[in-house]
Short mmCIF file of all heavy atoms in Angstrom, two decimals:
data_model
loop_
_atom_site.label_atom_id
_atom_site.label_comp_id
_atom_site.label_asym_id
_atom_site.label_seq_id
_atom_site.Cartn_x
_atom_site.Cartn_y
_atom_site.Cartn_z
N GLU A 1 1.84 17.62 1.44
CA GLU A 1 0.60 17.02 0.96
C GLU A 1 0.75 16.49 -0.46
O GLU A 1 0.17 15.45 -0.81
CB GLU A 1 -0.54 18.04 1.05
CG GLU A 1 -0.93 18.35 2.50
CD GLU A 1 -2.10 19.30 2.60
OE1 GLU A 1 -2.43 19.94 1.58
OE2 GLU A 1 -2.68 19.40 3.69
N VAL A 2 1.52 17.19 -1.28
CA VAL A 2 1.77 16.70 -2.64
C VAL A 2 2.56 15.39 -2.60
O VAL A 2 2.24 14.44 -3.32
CB VAL A 2 2.52 17.77 -3.47
CG1 VAL A 2 3.01 17.16 -4.78
CG2 VAL A 2 1.61 18.94 -3.76
N CYS A 3 3.58 15.33 -1.75
CA CYS A 3 4.37 14.10 -1.64
C CYS A 3 3.50 12.93 -1.20
O CYS A 3 3.57 11.82 -1.77
CB CYS A 3 5.51 14.29 -0.64
SG CYS A 3 6.80 15.44 -1.18
N ALA A 4 2.65 13.16 -0.20
CA ALA A 4 1.76 12.10 0.26
C ALA A 4 0.77 11.70 -0.82
O ALA A 4 0.45 10.51 -0.98
CB ALA A 4 1.03 12.54 1.52
N ALA A 5 0.27 12.68 -1.56
CA ALA A 5 -0.69 12.38 -2.62
C ALA A 5 -0.06 11.50 -3.70
O ALA A 5 -0.69 10.57 -4.21
CB ALA A 5 -1.22 13.68 -3.23
N ILE A 6 1.19 11.80 -4.05
CA ILE A 6 1.85 11.03 -5.10
C ILE A 6 2.05 9.58 -4.69
O ILE A 6 1.89 8.66 -5.50
CB ILE A 6 3.20 11.69 -5.46
CG1 ILE A 6 2.94 12.95 -6.30
CG2 ILE A 6 4.11 10.73 -6.22
CD1 ILE A 6 4.18 13.74 -6.64
N VAL A 7 2.38 9.33 -3.41
CA VAL A 7 2.66 7.95 -2.99
C VAL A 7 1.42 7.23 -2.49
O VAL A 7 1.47 6.01 -2.27
CB VAL A 7 3.76 7.91 -1.90
CG1 VAL A 7 5.03 8.58 -2.39
CG2 VAL A 7 3.29 8.53 -0.59
N SER A 8 0.30 7.94 -2.31
CA SER A 8 -0.88 7.30 -1.70
C SER A 8 -1.36 6.11 -2.50
O SER A 8 -1.81 5.11 -1.93
CB SER A 8 -1.99 8.33 -1.53
OG SER A 8 -2.42 8.84 -2.78
N GLY A 9 -1.27 6.20 -3.82
CA GLY A 9 -1.71 5.09 -4.65
C GLY A 9 -0.79 3.89 -4.61
O GLY A 9 -1.16 2.81 -5.10
N LEU A 10 0.40 4.06 -4.04
CA LEU A 10 1.36 2.96 -3.96
C LEU A 10 1.11 2.05 -2.76
O LEU A 10 1.70 0.98 -2.65
CB LEU A 10 2.79 3.51 -3.87
CG LEU A 10 3.28 4.28 -5.09
CD1 LEU A 10 4.64 4.93 -4.80
CD2 LEU A 10 3.38 3.37 -6.31
N VAL A 11 0.24 2.49 -1.84
CA VAL A 11 -0.12 1.67 -0.69
C VAL A 11 -1.11 0.60 -1.15
O VAL A 11 -2.03 0.88 -1.92
CB VAL A 11 -0.73 2.54 0.42
CG1 VAL A 11 -1.14 1.67 1.61
CG2 VAL A 11 0.26 3.62 0.86
N GLY A 12 -0.94 -0.61 -0.67
CA GLY A 12 -1.84 -1.70 -1.06
C GLY A 12 -3.28 -1.40 -0.68
O GLY A 12 -3.54 -0.76 0.35
N PRO A 13 -4.25 -1.85 -1.47
CA PRO A 13 -5.66 -1.51 -1.25
C PRO A 13 -6.23 -2.09 0.04
O PRO A 13 -7.24 -1.57 0.54
CB PRO A 13 -6.36 -2.08 -2.48
CG PRO A 13 -5.46 -3.19 -2.95
CD PRO A 13 -4.07 -2.71 -2.66
N ASP A 14 -5.64 -3.13 0.58
CA ASP A 14 -6.18 -3.76 1.78
C ASP A 14 -5.42 -3.37 3.04
O ASP A 14 -5.65 -3.95 4.11
CB ASP A 14 -6.14 -5.29 1.63
CG ASP A 14 -6.99 -5.78 0.47
OD1 ASP A 14 -8.06 -5.17 0.23
OD2 ASP A 14 -6.59 -6.74 -0.21
N ALA A 15 -4.54 -2.37 2.95
CA ALA A 15 -3.77 -1.95 4.12
C ALA A 15 -4.70 -1.44 5.21
O ALA A 15 -5.67 -0.72 4.92
CB ALA A 15 -2.78 -0.86 3.73
N PRO A 16 -4.45 -1.79 6.47
CA PRO A 16 -5.26 -1.23 7.57
C PRO A 16 -5.24 0.29 7.53
O PRO A 16 -4.21 0.90 7.25
CB PRO A 16 -4.57 -1.78 8.82
CG PRO A 16 -3.87 -3.02 8.36
CD PRO A 16 -3.43 -2.73 6.95
N ASP A 17 -6.37 0.90 7.80
CA ASP A 17 -6.50 2.34 7.66
C ASP A 17 -5.49 3.10 8.51
O ASP A 17 -4.89 4.08 8.05
CB ASP A 17 -7.92 2.76 8.03
CG ASP A 17 -8.35 4.04 7.32
OD1 ASP A 17 -8.11 4.14 6.10
OD2 ASP A 17 -8.91 4.92 7.98
N ALA A 18 -5.29 2.67 9.75
CA ALA A 18 -4.35 3.36 10.64
C ALA A 18 -2.93 3.32 10.09
O ALA A 18 -2.20 4.32 10.12
CB ALA A 18 -4.40 2.75 12.04
N ASP A 19 -2.52 2.17 9.58
CA ASP A 19 -1.17 2.02 9.05
C ASP A 19 -0.99 2.79 7.75
O ASP A 19 0.07 3.35 7.48
CB ASP A 19 -0.84 0.54 8.85
CG ASP A 19 -0.80 -0.23 10.15
OD1 ASP A 19 -0.29 0.32 11.15
OD2 ASP A 19 -1.29 -1.36 10.20
N ARG A 20 -2.04 2.80 6.92
CA ARG A 20 -1.98 3.57 5.67
C ARG A 20 -1.73 5.04 5.98
O ARG A 20 -0.84 5.66 5.40
CB ARG A 20 -3.30 3.42 4.91
CG ARG A 20 -3.43 4.35 3.71
CD ARG A 20 -4.86 4.34 3.16
NE ARG A 20 -5.23 3.00 2.73
CZ ARG A 20 -4.95 2.50 1.53
NH1 ARG A 20 -4.28 3.24 0.64
NH2 ARG A 20 -5.32 1.29 1.20
N TRP A 21 -2.51 5.60 6.91
CA TRP A 21 -2.40 7.02 7.17
C TRP A 21 -1.15 7.38 7.96
O TRP A 21 -0.62 8.49 7.82
CB TRP A 21 -3.67 7.52 7.87
CG TRP A 21 -4.77 7.68 6.87
CD1 TRP A 21 -5.82 6.85 6.66
CD2 TRP A 21 -4.87 8.72 5.88
NE1 TRP A 21 -6.60 7.30 5.62
CE2 TRP A 21 -6.03 8.46 5.12
CE3 TRP A 21 -4.11 9.84 5.58
CZ2 TRP A 21 -6.45 9.27 4.07
CZ3 TRP A 21 -4.52 10.67 4.53
CH2 TRP A 21 -5.67 10.38 3.81
N GLU A 22 -0.63 6.47 8.76
CA GLU A 22 0.65 6.74 9.41
C GLU A 22 1.77 6.79 8.37
O GLU A 22 2.67 7.64 8.43
CB GLU A 22 0.97 5.68 10.47
CG GLU A 22 2.27 5.97 11.21
CD GLU A 22 2.51 5.06 12.40
OE1 GLU A 22 1.57 4.33 12.80
OE2 GLU A 22 3.63 5.09 12.92
N THR A 23 1.72 5.90 7.40
CA THR A 23 2.70 5.90 6.32
C THR A 23 2.65 7.21 5.55
O THR A 23 3.69 7.81 5.24
CB THR A 23 2.44 4.72 5.36
OG1 THR A 23 2.59 3.48 6.08
CG2 THR A 23 3.41 4.72 4.19
N LEU A 24 1.46 7.69 5.23
CA LEU A 24 1.33 8.94 4.50
C LEU A 24 1.73 10.14 5.35
O LEU A 24 2.27 11.13 4.82
CB LEU A 24 -0.11 9.09 3.99
CG LEU A 24 -0.57 8.03 2.98
CD1 LEU A 24 -2.01 8.30 2.55
CD2 LEU A 24 0.35 7.99 1.77
N TRP A 25 1.50 10.09 6.64
CA TRP A 25 1.89 11.19 7.54
C TRP A 25 3.40 11.40 7.50
O TRP A 25 3.87 12.54 7.55
CB TRP A 25 1.42 10.88 8.95
CG TRP A 25 1.75 11.96 9.95
CD1 TRP A 25 2.63 11.87 10.99
CD2 TRP A 25 1.19 13.28 10.01
NE1 TRP A 25 2.67 13.04 11.69
CE2 TRP A 25 1.78 13.93 11.12
CE3 TRP A 25 0.26 13.98 9.25
CZ2 TRP A 25 1.48 15.24 11.47
CZ3 TRP A 25 -0.05 15.28 9.60
CH2 TRP A 25 0.56 15.90 10.69
N HIS A 26 4.17 10.33 7.40
CA HIS A 26 5.62 10.46 7.30
C HIS A 26 5.98 11.32 6.09
O HIS A 26 6.91 12.13 6.14
CB HIS A 26 6.28 9.09 7.16
CG HIS A 26 6.04 8.19 8.34
ND1 HIS A 26 6.15 6.81 8.25
CD2 HIS A 26 5.68 8.45 9.62
CE1 HIS A 26 5.87 6.28 9.43
NE2 HIS A 26 5.59 7.25 10.27
N TYR A 27 5.27 11.14 5.00
CA TYR A 27 5.54 11.93 3.79
C TYR A 27 5.09 13.37 3.93
O TYR A 27 5.73 14.29 3.41
CB TYR A 27 4.89 11.26 2.57
CG TYR A 27 5.77 10.19 2.01
CD1 TYR A 27 5.74 8.90 2.50
CD2 TYR A 27 6.72 10.48 1.03
CE1 TYR A 27 6.59 7.92 2.02
CE2 TYR A 27 7.57 9.52 0.54
CZ TYR A 27 7.51 8.24 1.04
OH TYR A 27 8.38 7.28 0.58
#
């Protein structure tokens, strides 16, 4: 969860919600 939190702000603001959260799930 810490790893995902650190990179969450690096995702573009207009990213589709499903793709954003799949990216963070990998972390």
Side-chain angles (χ1 to χ4, degrees):
E1 291 183 344
V2 169
C3 292
I6 285 176
V7 303
S8 62
L10 296 173
V11 179
D14 298 324
D17 207 45
D19 295 320
R20 171 190 300 275
W21 282 103
E22 183 172 348
T23 298
L24 297 180
W25 181 248
H26 299 158
Y27 275 86

